[in-house]
């Protein structure tokens, strides 16, 4: 896919019930697309709610922030890509960036940011990610190029 090489692109199908009366994807569905793509990716790595219970303490988290910018409507049903990566992984937080792409990756339909906070399953207070979650997240971590590092100084 074009533009950003970090992370993962999850193929995704837009269904009729994702559309609004104008035949474009309803704005609220973009967050659902990201949620389903992340759930699929993490589920393949053993982090899920199979059987209605968290498979690991790392499955228990809350969304603390969410922002999305809509660039071009997704018209009708069919295939798209949900591209996501982790911009930063803190002690108990994960900052995801994402893009909703055309199937060929040429069009960015939307892009945004989501911040998750890992919670202790018993207290629901922020808690550190496990080493297993950190290891699993490595392929999603954004690789910064030298120009980006210089801008952060």
């Amino acid at each position: 896919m074009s533009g950003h090489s970090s992370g993962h692109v999850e193929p995704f199908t837009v269904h009729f019930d994702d559309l609004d009366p104008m035949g474009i994807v309803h704005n609220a569905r973009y967050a659902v697309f990201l949620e389903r793509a992340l759930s699929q990716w993490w589920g393949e790595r053993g982090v899920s709610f199979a059987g209605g219970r968290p498979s690991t303490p790392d499955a228990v988290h809350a969304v603390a922030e969410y922002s999305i910018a809509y660039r071009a409507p997704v018209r009708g049903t069919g295939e798209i890509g949900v591209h996501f990566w982790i911009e930063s992984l803190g002690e108990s937080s994960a900052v995801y960036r994402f893009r909703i792409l055309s199937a060929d990756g040429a069009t960015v339909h939307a892009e945004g940011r989501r911040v998750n906070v890992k919670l202790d399953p018993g207290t629901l207070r922020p808690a550190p990610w496990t080493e297993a979650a950190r290891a699993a997240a490595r392929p999603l971590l954004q690789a910064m190029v030298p120009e980006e590092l210089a801008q952060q100084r």
Side-chain angles (χ1 to χ4, degrees):
M1 299 273 167
S2 63
H4 196 282
S5 61
S6 295
H8 174 75
V9 178
E10 186 70 34
F12 197 85
T13 302
V14 174
H15 297 278
F16 181 76
D17 63 351
D18 294 319
L19 306 179
D20 69 9
M22 296 177 287
I24 62 176
V25 170
H26 187 277
N27 66 81
R29 302 304 289 173
Y30 291 81
V32 173
F33 294 171
L34 176 64
E35 182 71 31
R36 290 183 179 161
L38 288 171
S39 294
Q40 178 72 29
W41 193 89
W42 281 104
E44 290 170 357
R45 286 146 187 87
V47 181
S48 71
F49 278 86
R53 295 194 164 300
S55 60
T56 169
D58 294 302
V60 181
H61 63 268
V63 176
E65 293 179 37
Y66 204 106
S67 65
I68 187 166
Y70 303 95
R71 304 294 182 211
V74 176
R75 299 181 185 281
T77 60
E79 299 304 310
I80 60 170
V82 180
H83 178 202
F84 55 90
W85 63 97
I86 295 176
E87 184 176 65
S88 65
L89 187 61
E91 172 123 359
S92 62
S93 65
V95 179
Y96 285 92
R97 299 299 303 259
F98 67 92
R99 303 182 311 158
I100 307 300
L101 304 170
S102 57
D104 64 3
T107 302
V108 176
H109 293 287
E111 57 191 338
R113 178 177 186 265
R114 171 177 150 157
V115 180
N116 286 0
V117 175
K118 195 251 187 215
L119 302 175
D120 178 278
T123 66
L124 298 181
R125 301 288 306 150
W129 299 107
T130 65
E131 286 306 314
R134 290 180 178 286
R138 275 191 201 103
L140 296 180
L141 283 167
Q142 176 179 356
M144 292 188 143
V145 294
E147 302 86 54
E148 292 173 320
L149 290 171
Q151 290 176 359
Q152 289 189 347
R153 291 187 187 139

